[in-house]
Amino acid sequence: MESDDETSGPMIDDEIYANGVDGDDEKRSRPIISSEQLDIEAYASLYSGRTKIIRLLFIAERSQSNQAMELEALRMAYDEIKKGENTQLHREVVQKIGGRLGPEYGMDVAWCDAVDRRAEQKKEKLENELNAYRTNLIKESIRMGYNDFGDFYYAHGQLGDAFKNYVRTRDYCTTSKHIVHMCMSSTLVSIEMGQFTHVTSYITKAEQIPEALDPVTVAKLRCAAGLAQLESKKYKLAARKFLETGPELGNHYNEVIAPQDVATYGGLCALATFDRMELKNKVIDNLNFRNFLELVPEVRELINDFYTSHYASCLDYLGNLKANLLLDIHLHDHLETLYGQIRHKALIQYTHPFVSVDLNMMANAFKTDVAGLEKELEALITDNQVQARIDSHNKILYARHADQRNATFQRVLQTGNEFDRDVKSMLLRVNLIKHEYNLRAARKH
């Protein structure tokens, strides 16, 4: 490889080592995580409520080729459902188990009947209470009545009815804290339903009342906004929202997201969309986000490796994380896109400092073959992301650097022409005003 600066020999060696091509033992032996199977029990313990069950069912659905993992997820989902009141989910999970876990994980008809009976009684009681409140026109009691109905429907998995009742509390809110509570409840149900336009709308409403927002609520809103931007495939905006999440979040929002998810989602979105300066200032030097990264050392290490140009190590981390990240309910649809963008950025950054790059060495650094690397570089050159040309015979990439002197002269000439045109226009205008040309034309008409 040849650098732009002839005096930078040692820097070239460091760059080559950093890219995983060669170097002493210390530089080569960077720690790489093992590709371990997801610990479902540890993963599920990060969450609570409905999202815990839905995530377990998603893992089971995605792990059908691994029966032990699938059945473990279904068993845990079954046990979790029995702690709640959602008989519909119970029937679904029993159907998915299909008798493979023995009679103790079959349809519990008695439990379903008892829960449904209690639900009917509770619903009737709530209806009577709400009717009494509406008759007496007590706004706070009516708000609480609708809120209780929302909680009731949410617990029984009727998300549409829960959302309607939470929204109805809006007309009976008497303080700003009540409005924030309504927004948070509506946001939670909207996330569960996958209605992220509603999520964005209610986050905006809550943020318009800053005096009613405590640090924990602000952190929850940032997470919800990050999820909404992620689902919209606006990865840079998603990264910013996750990076703005304060450490106050803790485990206060585990009915939606875990702190580990904030680190993973924010880190990958930032890697895919931020330039080096943003990565340094907003991620690596971000003290608040560092608290989240400490919970997921693999993500922390791959970000540091990417920034320090240890691309082989970075790609190893990404490869080892991929199988488990594909089991994430929010990230799985976006993983291929994010991984592709991160790899393209790594290729661009690798080639940027050099006049020429040996494709064999580069292929070794990125753990691919030369033919595959050529195709990737061709796509980047075609998209004008890499200014270079490929010598396919000698397997060398030559950078096409712009002639800075010529470009400067062209800009000076263009600026001069624009100035000349502007001055002539001003002189013409002055002469027209001086000879009252506009006034004469108006009089004739």
Side-chain angles (χ1 to χ4, degrees):
M1 297 183 186
E2 298 174 17
S3 174
D4 290 337
D5 188 352
E6 293 176 0
T7 62
S8 58
M11 288 175 65
I12 298 173
D13 291 341
D14 287 343
E15 182 70 17
I16 293 173
Y17 297 152
N19 283 292
V21 178
D22 200 356
D24 55 30
D25 292 337
E26 185 180 349
K27 285 178 178 174
R28 283 201 302 263
S29 60
R30 297 183 59 78
I32 301 296
I33 61 166
S34 59
S35 182
E36 294 178 2
Q37 182 175 299
L38 181 69
D39 183 341
I40 299 176
E41 189 171 350
Y43 177 77
S45 68
L46 299 175
Y47 307 97
S48 66
R50 181 182 169 85
T51 194
K52 181 175 184 177
I53 299 165
I54 299 302
R55 285 173 183 267
L56 286 168
L57 292 177
F58 183 80
I59 290 170
E61 183 187 330
R62 290 295 180 118
S63 307
Q64 291 178 1
S65 57
N66 183 342
Q67 192 177 46
M69 194 170 177
E70 180 193 5
L71 291 176
E72 173 69 6
L74 289 172
R75 182 187 64 76
M76 291 184 66
Y78 182 98
D79 291 338
E80 192 65 27
I81 289 166
K82 290 290 288 288
K83 297 175 187 176
E85 301 173 315
N86 194 333
T87 54
Q88 180 58 37
L89 268 181
H90 176 77
R91 294 184 182 94
E92 286 178 19
V93 79
V94 167
Q95 188 177 357
K96 288 180 179 180
I97 291 170
R100 290 177 291 171
L101 289 172
E104 6 177 281
Y105 287 93
M107 176 65 75
D108 191 337
V109 178
W111 178 82
C112 288
D113 290 343
V115 168
D116 288 340
R117 191 165 52 250
R118 284 199 306 271
E120 283 299 321
Q121 293 168 356
K122 186 174 181 181
K123 185 178 179 182
E124 187 177 345
K125 180 188 171 192
L126 289 173
E127 283 176 346
N128 292 334
E129 287 176 353
L130 182 57
N131 288 332
Y133 297 148
R134 290 165 75 177
T135 303
N136 296 328
L137 298 176
I138 306 170
K139 289 187 78 172
E140 175 59 11
S141 297
I142 296 170
R143 184 188 73 83
M144 291 296 293
Y146 279 124
N147 200 66
D148 289 343
F149 253 120
D151 293 343
F152 169 80
Y153 283 123
Y154 181 76
H156 288 84
Q158 297 172 348
L159 300 180
D161 290 326
F163 180 74
K164 286 175 188 174
N165 280 278
Y166 285 137
V167 172
R168 280 175 187 156
T169 65
R170 175 70 183 89
D171 295 332
Y172 303 96
C173 291
T174 53
T175 69
S176 53
K177 286 196 172 181
H178 291 165
I179 296 172
V180 170
H181 184 269
M182 180 274 297
C183 290
M184 296 305 296
S185 300
S186 302
T187 298
L188 171 64
V189 180
S190 298
I191 290 172
E192 295 283 0
M193 292 193 296
Q195 299 289 337
F196 286 94
T197 50
H198 290 324
V199 172
T200 306
S201 172
Y202 285 102
I203 288 170
T204 305
K205 284 180 183 174
E207 288 176 340
Q208 289 170 353
I209 319 169
E211 69 277 4
L213 300 177
D214 57 79
V216 173
T217 305
V218 171
K220 288 180 178 181
L221 290 171
R222 294 287 182 276
C223 287
L227 286 177
Q229 300 294 356
L230 179 65
E231 291 298 326
S232 303
K233 300 186 178 179
K234 297 175 181 174
Y235 301 124
K236 190 159 192 172
L237 293 175
R240 285 175 182 165
K241 292 298 180 184
F242 288 123
L243 292 171
E244 289 169 6
T245 303
E248 299 85 4
L249 180 73
N251 294 317
H252 295 294
Y253 209 30
N254 57 9
E255 66 270 26
V256 173
I257 193 171
Q260 287 84 344
D261 295 330
V262 175
T264 305
Y265 300 169
L268 291 180
C269 289
L271 268 185
T273 56
F274 283 7
D275 58 33
R276 281 181 65 81
M277 187 69 72
E278 285 179 306
L279 200 62
K280 174 70 172 168
N281 295 337
K282 295 181 180 178
V283 182
I284 296 171
D285 292 342
N286 184 335
L287 294 177
N288 285 337
F289 194 65
R290 193 179 297 170
N291 294 323
F292 292 107
L293 286 175
E294 292 299 326
L295 301 172
V296 193
E298 300 89 350
V299 175
R300 182 195 65 208
E301 288 302 317
L302 75 87
I303 289 172
N304 287 327
D305 283 341
F306 187 91
Y307 182 74
T308 55
S309 302
H310 292 94
Y311 298 120
S313 174
C314 174
L315 294 173
D316 273 333
Y317 277 116
L318 287 171
N320 290 331
L321 284 170
K322 188 172 184 179
N324 290 345
L325 293 180
L326 284 170
L327 299 175
D328 186 281
I329 198 167
H330 293 297
L331 200 59
H332 70 283
D333 276 341
H334 309 279
L335 204 61
E336 292 298 337
T337 304
L338 290 171
Y339 269 42
Q341 290 183 13
I342 292 169
R343 185 174 177 85
H344 288 163
K345 277 187 67 183
L347 290 167
I348 293 164
Q349 284 187 193
Y350 186 102
T351 60
H352 184 69
F354 303 111
V355 173
S356 62
V357 180
D358 185 331
L359 293 186
N360 290 298
M361 294 174 72
M362 189 173 176
N364 188 24
F366 283 89
K367 296 195 172 180
T368 186
D369 57 88
V370 176
L373 179 63
E374 272 194 64
K375 287 182 179 176
E376 288 186 88
L377 290 171
E378 282 169 15
L380 292 172
I381 291 168
T382 304
D383 289 342
N384 209 30
Q385 295 186 59
V386 173
Q387 307 293 325
R389 53 194 171 82
I390 299 173
D391 181 346
S392 294
H393 178 68
N394 295 314
K395 304 301 179 190
I396 295 175
L397 180 80
Y398 291 102
R400 283 203 308 265
H401 292 292
D403 186 338
Q404 296 294 334
R405 179 177 293 180
N406 184 51
T408 303
F409 279 132
Q410 292 299 325
R411 281 201 303 273
V412 169
L413 284 171
Q414 184 181 353
T415 305
N417 290 332
E418 288 173 357
F419 178 76
D420 186 45
R421 187 190 66 218
D422 291 344
V423 169
K424 285 179 178 176
S425 298
M426 284 189 286
L427 288 171
L428 177 60
R429 177 174 170 75
V430 167
N431 280 320
L432 288 170
I433 294 170
K434 180 180 177 182
H435 293 91
E436 299 181 351
Y437 183 80
N438 290 341
L439 291 173
R440 279 190 226 159
R443 283 179 200 141
K444 284 178 184 176
H445 290 294

